Amino acid sequence: MVIAAGMGALLEGAIHQSSKNIAEFICYLGIAVLASRLRVILPGVTGTMSVNFLFILVAVAELSYSEAMTLGAISMLAQSLYPARPTAIQLAFNVCAGALSTAAAYLVYHNPLAHHYIESRPLILCLAATTYFIVNAGSIAAVISFSEGKPLGQILVDCYFWSFPYYLVGAGIAGAIGWFNREFNWETSLLFVPAIYLIYRSYRLYLGKLEDEKRHVEEIADLHLRTIEALALAIEAKDQTTHDHLQRVRIYAIEVAKELGMTGTDLEALHAASLLHDIGKLAVPEHIIAKPGRLTPEEFEKMKIHTIVGAEILERVRFPYPVVPIVRAHHEKWDGSGYPYGLKGAEIPIGARILSAVDFLDALASDRQYRRAMPLDEVMKRLVAESGKSFDPKVVEVLKNRYRTLENLALAQAGKVSNSTIPSQLKMTQGQVPAAGYENAAVLDAPGREATFLSSIAAARQEAQSLFELSQDLGASLSLGETLSVFSVKLKPMVPYDAIAIYVLRDEVLMPEYVNGDNYRLFSSLRIPLGDGLSGWVAQNKKPIVNGNPSVEPGYLNDPDKFSTLRSALAVPLEGVSGITGVLALYRGERDAFTSDHLRLLLAVSGKMALAIENALKYQQAESSATTDYLTGLPNARSLFLQLDRELARCKRDKESLTLMVCDMNGFKKINDRFGHLEGNRVLRLFAQALKDSCREYDYVARMGGDEFVVIAPGLGPDAAAKKVELIRPLARQAGFDVCGEEILSLSVGVAVSPDDGNDAEQLLTQADRRMYVEKQKAPTQKDQRLHTRMKCRLTIELHPQGGAVPIFGNVIDISLGGCYVETSAILNPGSVLKLVFSIDDGSLTTEGTVARIHPGSGVAVQFKEMSRESREKMYRILEFVQSKTTLYNDRYMQNLFKR
């Protein structure tokens, strides 16, 4: 619209050309073009202002319409082309806006009506200058507002209205030039050029001073905020809070506040409060802040004081904006159930309402000591659920609409801040140890191990917290293996290592009780006499060694074919109440890898570690007397698991197979019911003895519990295992016959082989147990027993109702030869006929059944049709398929779980 109006004004001047004095016009035009280069940058926006408006006003007063339009357009063109090169649309807008302003001023100055009411020419010229200012500034401010997204009124007030007096002064100068022209001649106007340049210089110096003052204020404000942020980081580092966390809270809070219309000091207050809102946690004990779980009521009451303490701390700062009310109220809730004062609704400061919601979102979306971060979408659902209860609905609505954009903005800002590093050059030199030769090292933190100031602050708290947790864990279990395993896991973040060996002193020899990491087999095979090697020297002299040589351990590298990458060792004695219990040794691949801090940490926990080992050894001795089944004299389940773990480890080292057989008596309950439990006990004892006598000397026979027995047969191959099963089946039948005089008992046996079916005890027992239950399905049924034995499983199948076009998907969780139970949300009528498809790859794995009962929204029980011999064999294949798939998915789930 501006361009169109400007082009019309220029066209009007081109059509009605006239000139009073061509020399005067050319002189004014030249001066206006030169003056167009005398301009200043407007503060705060992308715009400039030139001195040429003086000569445009002179042209309006002294020249014809066409001359005034020509001078205004050419001078605006010169102003726009230097020094930058604008686009065509920008150039056209600038020229047309100048032409439109010049035309409006000309029409006002030469309007007969204005001369009728105002007789003074200077006043009319001031009115024309005002018109020029309004049209020119208004059109340019409107475009700047549109392009930069700033309010039009704010641009006019901040960047143009203050220059309006200069237009009035320019009108006065233009009037003076006109008077000289009328009283003398137009050449006298050249005397005003120095005065105009003086005005330009004063104008530019004034704006430069304003810009310097503005820059100074911005620098002070930035310094203030950086100081606040650095203080907040130093405080929050005690709680393992990262710079990214503070950036996220700050960005979310500020953007939400802008969306809700907050400006000025309120916005600055929220900015500072978003960084310092948790400063009061300095008064909360660290074990409460870092507690990995729900706080007790007493601990929560202590945590509540951080809002009051934080407000009292910040009151001493005397911020020029209201930070304290926000910090004090940032845990108040919309419904009045918050703390410390129970404010509700609009009683809570708007900044505190924003900070409360943002802090909630960030807390759930961030990793904490006691849980993993939740997905942002899930966090947002929880936030929306609390709208109107804990949080202001308006704040929640803004977050709901913009949380993805705000998260992207926070992530973009996260990588822009780098922390300076603090070199750590702590040096500790230890003297010679007579007749030892192992301890002659300078402990120096290696280059590259510098830490940021934030990590240094956080490390101080983390060290105390880690030592506290480690001390608690060491006393939490009496199992030696579990204690040492937990200790090694907790120790690694504090003292990094490539291999760890914990030796226990037995009969003047250090035995590796726990080994993990590189060279596992080498360390596991060591037997170190007291006083020999690195660890033996530490145990005998009760002194630590830092950065020793691992290869001096007796037997570590006796074989010339063996090679180790480990180059440094840190060993400390474990001294308990009764003396040296053992040695803790850590190994690394780099030379001089351990520092004085590492030694200090190990010495801090060594005493507690020694006591834990002593207690575990005593418990181990007492436990060994409780590993036998009282009824059969066989090892019990506890002993079975220990032996199975040992055998698996041995077979793994020797690369041998191991066969596990799980045996279960069919019909044993009938013996107890008919003949009594004493006779049942006799049957168990007879079978246990017969089973043990039928096995090899090194086979391990144990009673799992009830009527279940387990045989561990190392080195037994699949064929030999099948023969062994056929050998032990009659033993159960014979034991039942000997006691009851009837052939009541039979035996179901499940076989699993390591490593084909698994590498640990749980996997093997699970596999063998499933196969045993599959075999139970094939066993002849008894009238007083359940018709078909059930098997627990989990497999997704297709259900095809009779006459239905669309299949239904469900999960089989329970199956036998007689039927199954399927979890599904579909509603099926009892008695309806279904076709069940167990595999889409194998079309033969299908069967038919009827809906026996339903649980709406939960699942259905399906009874299979009566089976012929052929269909029964088909059902056996289905059962084996379901069992194998369930085992596969369970194993995959466990592997993924361990990887976490």
Side-chain angles (χ1 to χ4, degrees), residues 11 28 33 45 135 171 216 228 230 357 371 489 595 600 650 655 680 820 825 849:
L11 185 61
Y28 286 149
V33 170
V45 297
V135 175
H216 178 69
I228 292 174
R371 59 160 174 77
V489 172
T595 68
R600 177 175 53 80
R650 187 187 62 79
K655 296 183 179 179
C820 64
S825 60

Side-chain angles (χ1 to χ4, degrees), residues 486-654:
V486 170
F487 174 79
S488 68
V489 172
K490 295 282 188 179
L491 181 65
K492 193 163 189 177
M494 301 166 58
V495 185
Y497 57 81
D498 296 326
I500 181 174
I502 302 176
Y503 303 99
V504 174
L505 185 63
R506 291 190 175 96
D507 299 327
E508 301 297 310
V509 175
L510 290 173
M511 308 287 289
E513 188 66 34
Y514 178 83
V515 178
N516 196 11
D518 296 350
N519 300 132
Y520 168 86
R521 292 186 177 181
L522 286 174
F523 287 115
S524 298
S525 63
L526 295 183
R527 302 294 182 267
I528 304 175
L530 190 64
D532 290 355
L534 183 142
S535 299
W537 183 92
V538 168
Q540 185 179 56
N541 293 276
K542 301 181 182 180
K543 292 182 179 181
I545 288 179
V546 187
N547 293 325
N549 185 2
S551 64
V552 301
E553 299 284 22
Y556 180 60
L557 291 178
N558 287 344
D559 189 344
D561 294 333
K562 295 178 181 178
F563 174 77
S564 173
T565 59
L566 302 177
R567 293 289 181 269
S568 56
L570 171 58
V572 296
L574 302 176
E575 188 171 5
V577 176
S578 57
I580 290 295
T581 302
V583 172
L584 169 61
L586 306 180
Y587 305 95
R588 291 286 298 273
E590 302 88 2
R591 293 188 182 278
D592 299 329
F594 296 103
T595 68
S596 57
D597 278 343
H598 297 152
L599 175 61
R600 177 175 53 80
L601 288 171
L602 284 192
L603 291 176
V605 300
S606 61
K608 184 74 174 177
M609 184 67 183
L611 291 176
I613 292 176
E614 281 187 340
N615 293 334
L617 289 174
K618 292 176 182 177
Y619 177 76
Q620 200 175 61
Q621 293 173 357
E623 187 182 36
S624 63
S625 61
T627 57
T628 303
D629 178 53
Y630 75 97
L631 179 63
T632 62
L634 296 177
N636 58 16
R638 179 194 299 271
S639 180
L640 168 67
F641 278 98
L642 294 174
Q643 181 66 21
L644 184 54
D645 286 335
R646 285 193 290 266
E647 287 293 338
L648 283 171
R650 187 187 62 79
C651 291
K652 196 179 297 182
R653 288 196 303 270
D654 299 339

Side-chain angles (χ1 to χ4, degrees), residues 793-797 810-813 838 881-882 885-886 889:
C793 59
R794 178 160 291 274
L795 180 69
T796 301
I797 66 170
N811 292 323
V812 178
I813 63 170
F838 290 87
F881 173 80
V882 171
K885 287 297 182 182
T886 301
Y889 297 148

Side-chain angles (χ1 to χ4, degrees), residues 658-895:
L658 181 142
T659 298
L660 184 73
M661 291 178 279
V662 176
C663 310
D664 185 82
M665 292 182 176
N666 304 319
F668 182 74
K669 183 177 182 300
K670 186 176 180 181
I671 293 178
N672 284 334
D673 293 342
R674 289 179 55 190
F675 300 96
H677 288 280
L678 293 178
E679 294 302 296
N681 290 345
R682 283 185 59 201
V683 171
L684 291 175
R685 283 195 292 268
L686 284 174
F687 176 73
Q689 186 62 44
L691 182 62
K692 185 175 181 181
D693 293 341
S694 68
C695 292
R696 300 170 297 181
E697 291 183 0
Y698 50 86
D699 289 341
Y700 195 82
V701 182
R703 183 187 176 195
M704 188 74 172
D707 57 356
E708 287 191 356
F709 295 82
V710 176
V711 178
I712 302 174
L716 194 67
D719 295 338
K723 294 179 180 179
K724 183 70 175 179
V725 169
E726 296 304 320
L727 178 64
I728 63 177
R729 285 187 197 279
L731 300 179
R733 185 168 57 251
Q734 186 62 40
F737 184 81
D738 291 345
V739 174
C740 305
E742 302 178 20
E743 290 190 356
I744 298 178
L745 288 181
S746 63
L747 194 67
S748 296
V749 183
V751 180
V753 180
S754 174
D756 297 338
D757 296 321
N759 289 315
D760 60 40
E762 186 174 356
Q763 289 178 341
L764 287 178
L765 283 169
T766 301
Q767 189 70 275
D769 197 56
R770 288 186 182 277
R771 290 175 180 171
M772 181 268 292
Y773 275 105
V774 170
E775 185 172 308
K776 265 184 178 294
Q777 300 282 351
K778 302 178 183 180
T781 59
Q782 301 291 334
K783 292 183 179 181
D784 58 346
Q785 293 178 332
R786 189 180 187 91
L787 186 60
H788 301 293
T789 305
R790 293 179 178 179
M791 180 175 66
K792 297 295 181 182
C793 59
R794 178 160 291 274
L795 180 69
T796 301
I797 66 170
E798 291 182 3
L799 304 175
H800 294 265
Q802 192 174 40
V806 180
I808 301 170
F809 291 91
N811 292 323
V812 178
I813 63 170
D814 193 319
I815 190 170
S816 70
L817 283 172
C820 64
Y821 189 89
V822 183
E823 289 183 341
T824 179
S825 60
I827 306 299
L828 299 172
N829 295 324
S832 57
V833 179
L834 300 174
K835 179 182 178 182
L836 290 82
V837 179
F838 290 87
S839 173
I840 60 175
D841 297 324
D842 188 350
S844 65
L845 297 179
T846 62
T847 189
E848 293 185 353
T850 57
V851 177
R853 65 180 185 277
I854 65 170
H855 298 96
S858 177
V860 297
V862 180
Q863 182 178 357
F864 298 148
K865 290 186 175 181
E866 290 293 329
M867 300 181 189
S868 62
R869 183 171 182 176
E870 180 180 351
S871 59
R872 183 178 290 270
E873 292 296 326
K874 177 181 177 182
M875 198 62 210
Y876 287 150
R877 295 200 305 273
I878 291 176
L879 290 174
E880 291 176 354
F881 173 80
V882 171
Q883 184 266 336
S884 64
K885 287 297 182 182
T886 301
T887 302
L888 175 65
Y889 297 148
N890 287 343
D891 291 344
R892 188 175 298 168
Y893 171 79
M894 293 301 295
Q895 290 172 1

Side-chain angles (χ1 to χ4, degrees), residues 37 59 78 94 100 110 121 181 210 310 373 439 456 480 517 523 576 605 663 679 692 754 779 790 838:
R37 299 182 62 177
N94 291 337
L100 183 62
H110 294 279
R121 283 178 176 271
N181 285 351
L210 286 180
E439 196 174 40
S456 297
L480 183 59
F523 287 115
V605 300
C663 310
E679 294 302 296
K692 185 175 181 181
S754 174
R790 293 179 178 179
F838 290 87

Side-chain angles (χ1 to χ4, degrees), residues 105-265:
Y106 192 91
L107 293 176
V108 169
Y109 184 77
H110 294 279
N111 191 335
L113 189 62
H115 288 274
H116 176 74
Y117 288 103
I118 303 174
E119 296 181 358
S120 174
R121 283 178 176 271
L123 290 179
I124 297 176
L125 189 58
C126 287
L127 182 61
T130 303
T131 303
Y132 182 90
F133 169 78
I134 292 174
V135 175
N136 187 55
S139 59
I140 296 175
V143 173
I144 293 175
S145 173
F146 178 76
S147 62
E148 298 189 4
K150 296 182 179 180
L152 176 61
Q154 181 181 351
I155 294 176
L156 288 172
V157 171
D158 294 344
C159 304
Y160 286 99
F161 280 172
W162 60 269
S163 65
F164 178 64
Y166 285 89
Y167 280 84
L168 297 180
V169 172
I173 296 174
I177 293 175
W179 182 82
F180 269 84
N181 285 351
R182 289 190 297 274
E183 293 297 326
F184 302 102
N185 54 55
W186 64 269
E187 289 86 352
T188 57
S189 62
L190 297 177
L191 298 175
F192 284 88
V193 172
I196 294 172
Y197 183 75
L198 182 62
I199 294 174
Y200 161 75
R201 289 300 302 172
S202 64
Y203 180 72
R204 183 160 185 167
L205 288 173
Y206 174 69
L207 286 183
K209 184 177 179 181
L210 286 180
E211 194 66 28
D212 290 341
E213 290 179 354
K214 179 183 177 183
R215 187 182 303 110
H216 178 69
V217 170
E218 290 176 349
E219 289 175 353
I220 293 299
D222 289 342
L223 178 61
H224 190 196
L225 288 177
R226 287 198 301 271
T227 303
I228 292 174
E229 186 171 355
L231 175 62
L233 282 173
I235 294 168
E236 298 279 353
K238 298 284 286 181
D239 191 21
Q240 299 185 13
T241 301
T242 64
H243 185 273
D244 295 346
H245 156 76
L246 291 178
Q247 284 291 332
R248 175 193 264 172
V249 172
R250 180 183 64 81
I251 290 172
Y252 270 68
I254 294 301
E255 293 300 320
V256 171
K258 290 178 179 177
E259 190 82 10
L260 294 175
M262 288 181 65
T263 58
T265 58

Side-chain angles (χ1 to χ4, degrees), residues 315-626:
E315 279 178 347
R316 297 177 179 271
V317 179
R318 298 182 181 178
F319 284 98
Y321 28 77
V323 178
V324 174
I326 298 176
V327 173
R328 182 183 290 117
H330 79 277
H331 276 292
E332 300 286 0
K333 294 185 177 181
W334 184 255
D335 59 4
S337 61
Y339 62 89
Y341 299 123
L343 302 179
K344 64 188 327 185
E347 297 174 353
I348 308 170
I350 180 62
R353 282 180 260 157
I354 295 172
L355 189 56
S356 175
V358 170
D359 201 31
F360 174 87
L361 183 147
D362 175 76
L364 293 184
S366 303
D367 287 329
R368 296 298 170 97
Q369 297 97 323
Y370 46 89
R371 59 160 174 77
R372 302 289 296 173
M374 293 174 58
L376 197 58
D377 292 337
E378 180 64 26
V379 173
M380 201 61 233
K381 291 179 182 177
R382 294 199 179 191
L383 185 67
V384 171
E386 291 296 319
S387 177
K389 301 175 184 177
S390 298
F391 308 116
D392 185 346
K394 293 181 180 179
V395 175
V396 174
E397 185 64 25
V398 173
L399 285 170
K400 181 181 176 181
N401 294 333
R402 296 197 58 196
Y403 74 98
R404 293 187 181 278
T405 304
L406 297 179
E407 183 65 15
N408 292 333
L409 182 60
L411 292 175
Q413 291 289 330
K416 294 184 178 180
V417 179
S418 60
N419 295 322
S420 60
T421 58
I422 302 173
S424 178
Q425 296 296 338
L426 178 62
K427 182 175 181 180
M428 181 179 73
T429 304
Q430 295 175 303
Q432 294 284 344
V433 178
Y438 295 122
E439 196 174 40
N440 183 18
V443 183
L444 180 65
D445 288 354
R449 293 185 188 159
E450 296 84 5
T452 65
F453 73 95
L454 293 178
S455 62
S456 297
I457 296 172
R461 192 212 66 83
Q462 292 170 11
E463 180 180 314
Q465 184 66 25
S466 298
L467 289 174
F468 174 75
E469 292 176 357
L470 192 57
S471 298
Q472 283 189 319
D473 292 334
L474 286 177
S477 174
L478 289 173
S479 169
L480 183 59
E482 182 180 345
T483 298
L484 300 182
S485 177
V486 170
F487 174 79
S488 68
V489 172
K490 295 282 188 179
L491 181 65
K492 193 163 189 177
M494 301 166 58
V495 185
Y497 57 81
D498 296 326
I500 181 174
I502 302 176
Y503 303 99
V504 174
L505 185 63
R506 291 190 175 96
D507 299 327
E508 301 297 310
V509 175
L510 290 173
M511 308 287 289
E513 188 66 34
Y514 178 83
V515 178
N516 196 11
D518 296 350
N519 300 132
Y520 168 86
R521 292 186 177 181
L522 286 174
F523 287 115
S524 298
S525 63
L526 295 183
R527 302 294 182 267
I528 304 175
L530 190 64
D532 290 355
L534 183 142
S535 299
W537 183 92
V538 168
Q540 185 179 56
N541 293 276
K542 301 181 182 180
K543 292 182 179 181
I545 288 179
V546 187
N547 293 325
N549 185 2
S551 64
V552 301
E553 299 284 22
Y556 180 60
L557 291 178
N558 287 344
D559 189 344
D561 294 333
K562 295 178 181 178
F563 174 77
S564 173
T565 59
L566 302 177
R567 293 289 181 269
S568 56
L570 171 58
V572 296
L574 302 176
E575 188 171 5
V577 176
S578 57
I580 290 295
T581 302
V583 172
L584 169 61
L586 306 180
Y587 305 95
R588 291 286 298 273
E590 302 88 2
R591 293 188 182 278
D592 299 329
F594 296 103
T595 68
S596 57
D597 278 343
H598 297 152
L599 175 61
R600 177 175 53 80
L601 288 171
L602 284 192
L603 291 176
V605 300
S606 61
K608 184 74 174 177
M609 184 67 183
L611 291 176
I613 292 176
E614 281 187 340
N615 293 334
L617 289 174
K618 292 176 182 177
Y619 177 76
Q620 200 175 61
Q621 293 173 357
E623 187 182 36
S624 63
S625 61

